[in-house]
Amino acid sequence: MWLTEISDPTESYDATMTSGLKWAKKFHRFLCEANTGAIVWWAGAIPDGGTTEGLINIEKNRVDYEVTKRCEVFGNFSRYIPVGSKRIGVETDHAADSLFVSAYKNGNDFTVVAINPTASDRQTCLQMDNQAWNGQVSCALTDEKNNWSSYEATGNRIKIPANSILTITGSIKQ
């Protein structure tokens, strides 16, 4: 899916987490509802005149730039879901608009992406049918102040902070 083609060049420039979460939900829907196999953002860094078309906004002087939260959120998918991964089923007891969760498996490795677009923290339980994971999981948090920051999760109960996206990676025991 070429997402640059659906970005609206007339939409006002927004480099904040508000735009990041809007796009995170679009990424989730393309991957989970439309079963898209890959997401490509063609115009990564462009002098786009203050629109939402680029992930990185380059000023006309081609020196100054701003990395948008759209770019950081995109990284929660592109940095942590390895090429060749297969999406696997997810069950959640949260309302459909309060937590968006997708999971991917590649060999014995797994990645879970959880998007919390609400103003409240969300708790969720990470468990796998008939399988357990090796040791601890690693978590990467993106919110208004963090970009893929290390985030601690203890046990299988994981808190997903308000207005954030959390990517969880680990391995399945053999």
Side-chain angles (χ1 to χ4, degrees):
M1 172 58 67
W2 289 86
L3 289 186
T4 308
E5 302 302 325
I6 65 165
S7 61
D8 183 356
T10 64
E11 187 176 328
S12 298
Y13 180 70
D14 182 1
T16 70
M17 197 62 186
T18 300
S19 177
L21 287 168
K22 172 184 163 185
W23 281 96
K25 290 187 291 185
K26 286 183 183 191
F27 301 152
H28 173 85
R29 287 185 174 126
F30 277 117
L31 291 167
C32 297
E33 296 172 19
N35 290 315
T36 299
I39 296 173
V40 177
W41 197 295
W42 177 75
I46 59 172
D48 64 4
T51 68
T52 61
E53 195 170 3
L55 293 173
I56 299 170
N57 185 42
I58 300 173
E59 296 298 324
K60 291 189 190 289
N61 64 16
R62 296 192 184 260
V63 174
D64 299 316
Y65 65 92
E66 180 176 30
V67 178
T68 67
K69 283 297 177 175
R70 263 185 331 279
C71 181
E72 307 297 354
V73 163
F74 189 47
N76 278 79
F77 292 88
S78 62
R79 290 173 59 113
Y80 300 102
I81 302 172
V83 171
S85 295
K86 304 291 183 202
R87 190 170 54 81
I88 56 177
V90 171
E91 292 180 20
T92 179
D93 60 357
H94 293 276
D97 61 346
S98 70
L99 189 63
F100 298 81
V101 181
S102 58
Y104 310 85
K105 191 167 184 264
N106 189 345
N108 291 332
D109 298 329
F110 68 87
T111 305
V112 176
V113 180
I115 304 161
N116 179 4
T118 71
S120 301
D121 294 347
R122 295 285 182 250
Q123 286 277 346
T124 194
C125 180
L126 179 62
Q127 66 184 55
M128 293 171 207
D129 292 341
N130 305 315
Q131 295 184 331
W133 56 83
N134 289 328
Q136 292 291 322
V137 295
S138 297
C139 300
L141 174 69
T142 299
D143 61 13
E144 196 62 52
K145 296 179 183 174
N146 294 284
N147 301 323
W148 315 311
S149 298
S150 182
Y151 182 81
E152 188 161 333
T154 54
N156 67 343
R157 297 290 302 163
I158 298 176
K159 179 179 85 168
I160 300 145
N163 298 310
S164 74
I165 180 168
L166 185 66
T167 302
I168 305 153
T169 59
S171 295
I172 304 288
K173 282 185 183 178
Q174 285 290 11

